Amino acid sequence: MRRRVRDRDVGPTADEGLLRALYSEHGGPLLGYVLRLTGGDRTQAEDVVQETLLRAWKHPEALAGRPVRPWLFTVARNLVVDAHRAKQARPPETGIDEHVMMTASGSDDIDRALESWTVAEALAGLSPPHRAVLVETYYKGRSVAEAAKTLGIPPGTVKSRTYYALRALKLALEERGLAP
């Protein structure tokens, strides 16, 4: 993608590089997700992907310091919901079945997968002692005494680490837009 400026060839800009990188890394999964939301309407799905990437390009500050793919998927889902609402506000051009609206409203497996991915990312960002105590008590369902024995630390330490680990996890999730 080259353009001419005052009779000089100019290579791709940094913005174009960002856009190319976003499309290269996230374009395929994003298109697949939007295809499911739009009930297989490829034209609409491609338009939504293009608009999503355009918004990312216009607002690179929104991508800084956060996972990019969940943000892109959220923007795409919001665009699909907005398009559906706009069609509801005027006489229908073509019918959108109920499945599309149910999928677009968040009851989708992909939304749960993205949420799980974001929680796992937040959990990975915790300190190893905090992560270990949460894995033992919440994910493996162990009691305080069992976790203490497994981790080789006193039960009081398990309790205090769990308290501080949950606070740190809540903060990490809030930064990612998942917790209230």
Side-chain angles (χ1 to χ4, degrees), residues 82-103:
D82 290 347
H84 176 72
R85 288 179 180 156
K87 286 182 182 179
Q88 296 292 40
R90 62 180 189 262
E93 298 166 5
T94 59
I96 292 182
D97 63 350
E98 290 299 316
H99 173 69
V100 172
M101 193 54 206
M102 287 293 291
T103 303

Side-chain angles (χ1 to χ4, degrees), residues 19-173:
L19 198 55
R20 286 176 191 259
L22 283 174
Y23 184 78
S24 172
E25 187 173 342
H26 306 287
L30 186 60
L31 180 62
Y33 174 65
V34 176
L35 274 170
R36 289 188 60 196
L37 293 178
T38 60
D41 183 348
R42 187 166 185 90
T43 304
Q44 184 184 5
E46 289 173 349
D47 288 346
V48 169
V49 168
Q50 182 178 3
E51 179 63 25
T52 302
L53 292 174
L54 181 64
R55 289 185 184 195
W57 177 68
K58 284 182 176 180
H59 303 285
E61 72 281 358
L63 305 175
R66 71 168 64 198
V68 175
R69 190 170 288 182
W71 185 87
L72 291 172
F73 277 53
T74 300
V75 169
R77 184 185 62 201
N78 291 343
L79 288 170
V80 171
V81 170
D82 290 347
H84 176 72
R85 288 179 180 156
K87 286 182 182 179
Q88 296 292 40
R90 62 180 189 262
E93 298 166 5
T94 59
I96 292 182
D97 63 350
E98 290 299 316
H99 173 69
V100 172
M101 193 54 206
M102 287 293 291
T103 303
S105 69
S107 64
D108 188 33
D109 290 338
I110 293 178
D111 287 336
R112 285 192 298 273
L114 283 173
E115 189 174 284
S116 295
W117 181 34
T118 304
V119 170
E121 227 174 37
L123 191 60
L126 297 179
S127 67
H130 284 166
R131 185 174 45 250
V133 78
L134 288 181
V135 167
E136 292 299 321
T137 56
Y138 284 89
Y139 288 98
K140 293 184 179 177
R142 294 198 169 123
S143 68
V144 170
E146 292 169 334
K149 184 177 178 184
T150 302
L151 296 172
I153 57 177
T157 304
V158 171
K159 289 179 185 180
S160 66
R161 278 190 192 166
T162 301
Y163 173 78
Y164 289 109
L166 287 173
R167 288 181 63 188
L169 183 62
K170 180 183 179 199
L171 180 63
L173 292 173

